[in-house]
């Protein structure tokens, strides 16, 4: 279970209110769609939910723990933030390096060749992530998140090109996480039509969450 209860949030040094009156509880297996315009607060919401930002007021809990207090592997296993700037999120020079790092974080072993095929990635894991196209790089980021298997996964935006492979990878990931009782939150600028996938849907308007 996870919850986010933020009466008000401003970035340090700013008086501009980015989020206010945010109060949501997530149950195990929830798949949530969060949509809203640019600058509506989606990324800030995700960073708070994943412990990358510390709330000045209120709290963000995952399994009863204040997520921002956790560090390193403990935090990532609890909550994983898949940045919309996913090409800048890769720390290793090859696809294989990224995948093995994610498996290490998740404490799991997988037959990566099967997963690479399912996520439509190149068989050659020595390719540099930065040499992939934007959709393939996003699929790699999603596969890494799947290997980590966090209790909460926040996917910050989808590629602007909604290819069939992007939609199918998202569907597979959400379905698998629902079965495992893990929480998935996907943010996007407009509603996504994926039948029988999302259990809840919210809209962010001027920093306020509306159902």
């Amino acid at each position: 279970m996870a919850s986010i209860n933020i009466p008000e949030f401003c970035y340090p040094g700013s008086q501009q209110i980015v989020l206010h009156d945010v109060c949501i509880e997530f149950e195990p297996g929830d798949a949530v769609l969060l949509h809203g315009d640019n600058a509506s607060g989606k990324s800030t919401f995700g960073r708070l939910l994943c412990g990358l930002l510390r709330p000045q007021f209120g709290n963000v809990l995952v399994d009863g723990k204040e997520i921002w207090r956790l560090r390193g592997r403990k935090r990532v296993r609890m909550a994983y933030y898949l940045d919309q700037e996913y090409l800048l999120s890769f720390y290793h020079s090859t696809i294989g390096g990224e995948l093995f790092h994610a498996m290490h974080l998740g404490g799991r072993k997988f037959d990566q060749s099967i997963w690479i095929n399912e996520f439509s990635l190149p068989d050659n894991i020595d390719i540099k992530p930065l040499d992939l196209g934007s959709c393939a790089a996003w699929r790699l980021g999603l596969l890494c998140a799947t290997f980590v298997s966090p209790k909460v996964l926040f996917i910050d935006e989808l590629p602007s090109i909604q290819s069939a492979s992007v939609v199918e990878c998202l569907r597979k990931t959400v379905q698998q996480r629902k079965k495992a009782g893990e929480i998935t939150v996907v943010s996007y600028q407009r509603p996504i039509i994926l039948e029988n996938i999302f259990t809840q849907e919210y809209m962010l308007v001027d920093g306020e969450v509306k159902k």
Side-chain angles (χ1 to χ4, degrees):
M1 181 174 176
S3 63
I4 179 168
N5 182 9
I6 305 293
E8 180 180 297
F9 180 81
C10 303
Y11 281 95
S14 172
Q15 295 183 342
Q16 181 180 357
I17 298 174
V18 182
L19 293 174
H20 63 92
D21 300 322
V22 175
C23 185
I24 303 177
E25 289 191 356
F26 304 101
E27 298 294 334
D30 272 351
V32 180
L33 176 62
L34 177 69
H35 57 89
D37 295 333
N38 279 334
S40 61
K42 300 189 300 297
S43 296
T44 301
F45 180 102
R47 291 188 177 104
L48 283 164
L49 183 62
C50 295
L52 301 178
L53 293 173
R54 176 180 176 177
Q56 298 102 334
F57 308 101
N59 56 58
V60 182
L61 304 177
V62 178
D63 274 4
K65 299 180 178 65
E66 287 191 289
I67 188 66
W68 66 267
R69 293 183 182 274
L70 302 179
R71 294 291 181 270
R73 183 175 177 178
K74 287 184 178 179
R75 191 192 71 218
V76 172
R77 288 294 305 276
M78 281 286 189
Y80 189 104
Y81 179 82
L82 181 56
D83 201 311
Q84 59 179 305
E85 299 293 340
Y86 40 86
L87 281 172
L88 303 179
S89 303
F90 297 128
Y91 300 104
H92 300 271
S93 59
T94 65
I95 292 175
E98 290 295 333
L99 295 176
F100 290 128
H101 176 67
M103 286 188 283
H104 173 71
L105 287 175
R108 292 186 173 190
K109 292 183 178 180
F110 290 86
D111 181 347
Q112 70 268 17
S113 63
I114 296 176
W115 283 84
I116 284 175
N117 290 334
E118 287 195 4
F119 276 65
S120 302
L121 291 170
D123 291 330
N124 182 2
I125 60 175
D126 293 326
I127 292 176
K128 296 179 181 179
L130 295 180
D131 290 339
L132 297 172
S134 60
C135 287
W138 180 85
R139 293 196 301 271
L140 173 60
L142 186 62
L143 180 54
C144 289
T146 301
F147 281 166
V148 174
S149 191
K151 294 183 181 295
V152 176
L153 169 61
F154 187 90
I155 301 173
D156 192 5
E157 294 291 341
L158 301 176
S160 56
I161 301 174
Q162 292 292 296
S163 67
S165 61
V166 165
V167 173
E168 187 57 28
C169 287
L170 179 62
R171 184 188 299 277
K172 287 178 181 177
T173 299
V174 172
Q175 287 177 336
Q176 175 185 323
R177 291 180 56 79
K178 286 169 74 172
K179 290 179 181 178
E182 298 165 343
I183 298 164
T184 309
V185 183
V186 179
S187 79
Y188 197 47
Q189 288 186 34
R190 56 183 181 272
I192 309 168
I193 300 175
L194 283 177
E195 294 182 1
N196 304 319
I197 290 293
F198 295 105
T199 56
Q200 299 183 61
E201 185 173 332
Y202 295 93
M203 178 180 289
L204 259 173
V205 181
D206 297 328
E208 184 179 0
V209 174
K210 298 182 179 182
K211 198 159 186 178

